[in-house]
Amino acid sequence: MRYRTHTCGELNEGHVGKMTTLNGWVQKRRDLGGLIFLDVRDRSGIVQVVCNPEHAPEATKIAEKVRSEFVLAIQGQVVSRSEETINKKMKTGAIEIVAEEVEIVNEAKTPPFAVEDDVEVDETTRLKHRYIDLRRPMMQNTLILRHQVMQKVRSFLSEEGFIEVETPMLTKSTPEGARDYLVPSRVHKGEFYALPQSPQIFKQLLMVSGMERYFQIVRCFRDEDLRADRQPEFTQIDIEASFLEPEVFLSMMETMVADLCEETIGHKVSTPFERLTYKEAMNRFGSDRPDLRFDMELVDLSEMVKESGFQVFASTVANGGRVRAINVKGQAGWSRKQVDEWGKIAQQFGAKGLAWLAVKEEGTKGPVAKFLGETEWHDIMKATEAETGDLLFFIADQPKKSAEVLGELRVRLAKHLDLIPKGVFRFAWVTEFPLLAYDEEADRWFAEHHPFTSPMDEDLPLLETDPGSVRAKAYDMVLNGYELGGGSQRIHRREVQEAMFRALGFTMEEAKEEFGFLLDAFEYGAPPHGGVAFGLDRIVMLLAGRSNLRDTIAFPKTASASCLLTDAPSAVEENQLRELHISLRES
RNA sequence: GGAGCUGUGGUGAAGUUGGAGUUCACGCCGGCCUGUCACGCCGGAGGUCGCGGGUUCGAGCCCCGUCAGCUCCGCCA
């Protein structure tokens, strides 16, 4: 066969008169009886080839046998089309290739679905035949975008003096965090490696090693249940730096991400990014990854309703809870059934109930209405900026719960009511995360991020007295309601680390047992350092305007973590198990 | 672990009150067709209605179970 001199998509009027050889797949054959048109596709695009029985009888004869997705080699001349046959919908529509020779390089079975962007096919079929699915231009473009993002990140970070260092895939299982994927050791009977959830400890070790600036585009694994934006194996852009002012570091990361947006999808992003403290994000949006593309902010009514005749409100506030509301503009006309639907959704998120008020011309409707006094009602109207025609939703619960439930409702309502503007990218940093979270079940404090995250200096004394209120030098980059990445400044001073472990209920000796080698390493001169990890898949998903992580990954897993293409996971031979000293249990 | 939705020729759908595997579009196969690009026209083939059980004289349709996919809760940072 002949190999290409040009790609299909690059051809234009500038090539008219030239001989060309193309390789590609048959997108479509149109046989007019005499003339045969072939749309030939490669990664770059589609071009029309015309086979004329008078001009090239041999080639036309072969073209008759051609079917969709056959692989062809075509030799011919680029000619401009006559005015009336120009196809303005095609990038290459002003020209066509007059075939001299057509070679069927490989035949193809009829594909299970058409290789076109807008075909609706069940995802099972797409995943089973992923190699065909990936022929679709949209899928190819997403993978190309992904490649570009990786390229830009690599060049940006290299430019800033970061070194890409690989860290082990076979590593040690750690008790904290997500469930590990385990790999049995053949050599060490009864022992297991874990696949990394992230290279966290290694990148800090590299700081102790004096690498100063490290990054890695690295696969990470977490054996937890999947979501549309969560895969069991995913890719992180992992970054860590020593001797770098946190502010300088954050600004560097902003620039990287803003440049990415502009250089890949041409979307200009202004820096510096908006900043919100965790507290502000929770109070205003009920989320630590707020979607800032629309309003409908949460309003705290606790003070106004603490003496309310509506017992649920009054007693919630009396017990340290909060009463919050959102104003669903212009939806007072909803039926009881519609409102109840949202009550069910609120309950799904753990709310005890959803109180509501519809502000109508004839008066206020809703189960809460009759309990509210005149002043109370006036205050609420003012605080929520409610007008006639608005619908108010209330959640009364513990402070965090009431915010989170309403935050979820806020996002879902906005989607439902189509309030989210398209093509908008609202980046922000969320800062001052809580350092610790209390686990009721275990009856102890856990590190919210990880145990090496530095507390804020001014909160250090609180570590002994009020651990729950200690803020961390931790930050998340958020975009449109998604967490793009998160990081922190790490503890590098021994006395702070000891205070941290005391708060977690460990002695230094116990901590060493748990986190051994990192703490050992820290005793040999750890520099001040901090870093961040971005979710590459999510970045690509958002840049590509997709709502599903699978579309950004060449060979993704289904919701039950299996691969429909390879049929993984699967049973293995008994002798494989024997070598690994494994016997399967009944339950 | 739980909830919801979906499952019908290769693909996407429709399928009435439970009455013959019925229908539509695309695709596929054959024939005709020299300017199509959603080519057109004529003809044809193609089915374990996801799977198993039950109710019934009779099930794509009703009931129970189960599997798979998707979305969500729990889980996960």
Side-chain angles (χ1 to χ4, degrees):
Chain A
M1 72 163 279
R2 290 194 178 78
Y3 285 107
R4 58 165 59 125
T5 57
H6 297 84
T7 60
C8 298
E10 73 174 314
L11 293 171
N12 57 46
E13 283 164 295
H15 296 90
V16 168
K18 293 205 170 115
M19 287 302 291
T20 183
T21 303
L22 299 174
N23 297 137
W25 286 262
V26 176
Q27 180 68 32
K28 186 84 189 176
R29 182 184 65 118
R30 288 180 297 281
D31 185 344
L32 272 59
L35 280 182
I36 296 174
F37 294 97
L38 299 173
D39 288 344
V40 179
R41 183 194 72 240
D42 64 18
R43 202 180 72 192
S44 67
I46 293 174
V47 71
Q48 173 168 285
V49 174
V50 57
C51 304
N52 189 320
E54 286 158 16
H55 180 77
E58 284 300 312
T60 309
K61 202 154 197 175
I62 292 166
E64 279 171 17
K65 296 199 205 89
V66 156
R67 292 294 181 272
S68 286
E69 300 306 313
F70 276 30
V71 182
L72 300 184
I74 282 160
Q75 192 174 32
Q77 191 176 31
V78 183
V79 301
S80 57
R81 299 201 202 175
S82 64
E83 190 63 39
E84 67 278 8
T85 60
I86 287 175
N87 186 343
K88 292 202 173 69
K89 281 179 267 177
M90 282 176 83
K91 213 176 79 189
T92 60
I95 53 107
E96 63 191 0
I97 313 305
V98 177
E100 301 289 341
E101 281 182 51
V102 173
E103 183 187 348
I104 295 174
V105 177
N106 210 342
E107 299 187 355
K109 281 162 75 174
T110 304
F113 53 91
V115 179
E116 285 164 9
D117 275 342
D118 41 12
V119 283
E120 272 186 39
V121 194
D122 186 76
E123 198 155 353
T124 315
T125 313
R126 288 178 53 200
L127 291 173
K128 200 177 257 170
H129 304 274
R130 190 59 161 179
Y131 39 87
I132 294 168
D133 193 32
L134 292 179
R135 287 181 186 171
R136 295 160 61 217
M138 191 179 274
M139 296 305 287
Q140 298 208 334
N141 290 338
T142 308
L143 290 182
I144 292 167
L145 173 66
R146 188 183 174 108
H147 160 74
Q148 286 170 342
V149 169
M150 293 202 283
Q151 288 288 85
K152 301 283 176 202
V153 165
R154 285 206 164 96
S155 76
F156 180 93
L157 291 172
S158 301
E159 204 64 26
E160 295 285 353
F162 288 79
I163 308 294
E164 185 162 16
V165 181
E166 290 157 286
T167 51
M169 285 287 124
L170 295 176
T171 180
K172 190 177 164 66
S173 180
T174 49
E176 309 251 330
R179 195 177 294 116
D180 284 319
Y181 274 101
L182 296 177
V183 179
S185 165
R186 175 183 57 82
V187 181
H188 302 275
K189 183 175 179 177
E191 296 184 353
F192 295 81
Y193 301 97
L195 302 179
Q197 296 181 22
S198 88
Q200 183 64 39
I201 289 175
F202 290 108
K203 70 174 173 177
Q204 291 191 247
L205 289 172
L206 286 168
M207 293 301 101
V208 179
S209 307
M211 287 310 295
E212 300 193 7
R213 294 187 182 193
Y214 143 93
F215 84 100
Q216 185 180 188
I217 297 178
V218 61
R219 196 68 54 80
C220 300
F221 306 85
R222 291 178 191 167
D223 187 4
E224 298 292 348
D225 286 336
L226 290 81
R227 290 288 184 276
D229 65 341
R230 257 169 38 196
Q231 282 274 312
E233 53 177 312
F234 60 100
T235 305
Q236 276 190 352
I237 303 166
D238 195 47
I239 304 171
E240 193 84 7
S242 302
F243 307 124
L244 192 53
E245 200 69 50
E247 280 303 321
V248 176
F249 180 66
L250 290 192
S251 141
M252 194 185 277
M253 293 300 103
E254 285 178 0
T255 307
M256 179 177 84
V257 173
D259 286 0
L260 261 185
C261 274
E262 191 164 351
E263 290 167 23
T264 55
I265 59 167
H267 189 94
K268 181 103 178 105
V269 178
S270 58
T271 53
F273 291 171
E274 188 168 348
R275 299 250 182 133
L276 293 161
T277 63
Y278 170 83
K279 201 171 159 188
E280 190 185 357
M282 290 306 290
N283 283 335
R284 288 175 57 198
F285 304 101
S287 170
D288 58 5
R289 44 181 172 85
D291 191 335
L292 303 173
R293 290 174 296 176
F294 61 98
D295 298 327
M296 200 155 53
E297 294 193 17
L298 278 53
V299 182
D300 189 335
L301 303 172
S302 308
E303 284 307 305
M304 299 165 207
V305 299
K306 66 181 174 190
E307 282 160 11
S308 173
F310 189 51
Q311 272 309 304
V312 175
F313 286 179
S315 65
T316 299
V317 180
N319 292 325
R322 300 264 111 186
V323 178
R324 301 177 206 263
I326 49 173
N327 181 351
V328 193
K329 293 299 270 183
Q331 304 301 325
W334 279 8
S335 68
R336 184 60 195 259
K337 197 179 158 196
Q338 281 175 294
V339 174
D340 285 348
E341 283 297 314
W342 288 94
K344 274 184 213 151
I345 294 170
Q347 278 174 354
Q348 256 178 31
F349 288 102
K352 294 184 199 78
L354 178 69
W356 57 276
L357 279 176
V359 189
K360 299 195 170 183
E361 282 189 31
E362 65 268 27
T364 304
K365 291 270 163 61
V368 187
K370 61 180 178 218
F371 296 105
L372 295 177
E374 190 67 31
T375 351
E376 227 179 339
W377 174 230
H378 183 79
D379 290 346
I380 290 174
M381 286 277 282
K382 199 173 165 198
T384 58
E385 297 174 12
E387 300 167 312
T388 303
D390 290 354
L391 176 65
L392 300 179
F393 279 152
F394 304 86
I395 298 280
D397 213 309
Q398 289 310 300
K400 195 172 174 193
K401 174 78 87 184
S402 64
E404 283 175 344
V405 174
L406 219 44
E408 286 291 348
L409 289 183
R410 173 181 174 269
V411 170
R412 277 156 198 257
L413 283 162
K415 280 184 190 148
H416 180 71
L417 297 169
D418 202 21
L419 299 177
I420 304 176
K422 304 273 180 287
V424 173
F425 290 81
R426 285 290 296 272
F427 287 92
W429 288 106
V430 177
T431 61
E432 301 182 17
F433 274 79
L435 184 71
L436 303 165
Y438 192 72
D439 185 314
E440 301 279 348
E441 250 174 70
D443 188 29
R444 72 172 186 91
W445 293 94
F446 272 90
E448 185 86 7
H449 194 57
H450 57 73
F452 310 104
T453 302
S454 176
M456 289 179 64
D457 300 334
E458 58 267 45
D459 290 355
L460 210 44
L462 296 171
L463 209 43
E464 314 283 337
T465 57
D466 183 11
S469 69
V470 177
R471 292 164 300 167
K473 292 181 187 171
Y475 33 78
D476 279 1
M477 188 188 284
V478 301
L479 168 60
N480 296 355
Y482 289 91
E483 180 197 328
L484 282 193
S488 66
Q489 291 298 307
R490 326 297 182 189
I491 299 170
H492 65 280
R493 279 166 43 219
R494 190 188 165 93
E495 65 271 22
V496 178
Q497 190 66 65
E498 282 178 8
M500 177 74 171
F501 281 129
R502 272 199 304 279
L504 290 170
F506 295 137
T507 62
M508 207 58 189
E509 286 65 40
E510 287 169 333
K512 271 200 179 172
E513 232 163 79
E514 198 108 325
F515 305 104
F517 44 97
L518 183 60
L519 289 178
D520 285 346
F522 278 180
E523 294 182 11
Y524 290 95
H529 61 287
V532 70
F534 293 101
L536 172 75
D537 316 89
R538 272 188 204 166
I539 292 177
V540 174
M541 176 177 93
L542 292 166
L543 290 178
R546 316 302 291 262
S547 52
N548 189 313
L549 221 54
R550 291 185 299 278
D551 285 344
T552 72
I553 296 172
F555 301 104
K557 303 284 189 288
T558 67
S560 61
S562 45
C563 173
L564 297 181
L565 176 63
T566 62
D567 202 28
S570 57
V572 296
E573 295 291 327
E574 175 58 30
N575 58 13
Q576 287 180 281
L577 291 177
R578 192 175 302 120
E579 272 190 323
L580 295 168
H581 323 287
I582 289 176
S583 69
L584 298 177
R585 311 163 60 104
E586 283 306 312
S587 61

